[in-house]
């Protein structure tokens, strides 16, 4: 099973991923936790460029770098792990490209659809969306570390991201499970476990 976790900045993905990891370990189920961008040696270099607030990057360049990271991630981590029968949980995947580079940067959905179709990337079996008001998310994100190139974008940008994720959840109800990220972490984990496994 291939699972992605999505949401805006500060929505609590890392906490949920840690909880799922603990659960799978306790249940003795084989799994791999991974993330985008930056889970391979090529991806780590791309991540550095992508998050660096000193870089000015054309939206299409940004999109193509995200897809370069994704293809390497699929080849080197996701596909081999799935072939070994492991559950793969990725912290962000293609829905982040539709949100950030699509709704955020203004690239048309058709361009991203085209890349998805031409590269033949795998789609997750299940996607958990942690939905949160961006004002709360940005406050959480800015209180814990220095903001990166995406977190530094204005509130409007983050509002567009939230809408894009929610639109995707409506468009693909079979794949998406949306959870209110203002719930307590324990509740969120319980809901996720009960729906996923
Ligand atoms: P990261 O530090 O991993 O943050 P987060 O905890 O928010 O996931 O940063 C990854 C950033 O990359 C995040 O701001 C979202 C962005 N991103 C895109 O813009 N497009 C994508 O396709 C992906 C996978 C991530």
């Amino acid at each position: 099973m291939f699972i992605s976790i999505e949401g805006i900045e500060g929505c609590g993905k890392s906490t949920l991923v840690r909880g799922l990891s603990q659960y799978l370990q306790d249940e003795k189920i084989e799994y791999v936790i991974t993330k985008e961008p930056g889970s391979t040696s090529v991806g780590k270099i791309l991540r550095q460029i992508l998050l660096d607030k000193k870089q000015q990057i054309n939206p299409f360049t940004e999109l193509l770098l995200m897809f370069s990271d994704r293809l390497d991630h699929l080849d080197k981590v996701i596909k081999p792990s799935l072939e070994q029968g492991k559950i793969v949980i990725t912290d962000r995947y293609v829905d982040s490209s539709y949100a950030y580079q699509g709704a955020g940067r203004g690239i048309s959905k058709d361009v991203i659809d085209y890349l998805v179709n031409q590269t033949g990337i795998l789609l997750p079996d299940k996607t958990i969306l942690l939905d949160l008001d961006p004002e709360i998310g940005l406050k959480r994100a800015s209180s814990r570390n220095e903001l990166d190139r995406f977190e530094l974008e204005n509130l409007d940008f983050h509002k567009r991201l939230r809408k894009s994720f929610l639109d995707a959840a409506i468009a693909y109800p079979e794949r998406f499970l949306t959870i209110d990220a203002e719930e307590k972490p324990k509740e969120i984990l319980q809901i996720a476990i009960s729906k996923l496994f």
Side-chain angles (χ1 to χ4, degrees), residues 14 38 63 65 77 81 193:
S14 317
L63 176 68
L65 291 177
V77 180
S81 306
I193 289 172

Side-chain angles (χ1 to χ4, degrees), residues 9 13 35 47 66 70 92 96-97 100-101 150:
E9 314 293 335
K13 288 185 287 96
K35 68 180 289 179
R47 178 185 171 87
M66 289 294 178
R70 184 158 301 129
R92 295 199 185 281
S96 280
S97 294
Y100 284 77
Q101 284 66 53
F150 295 101

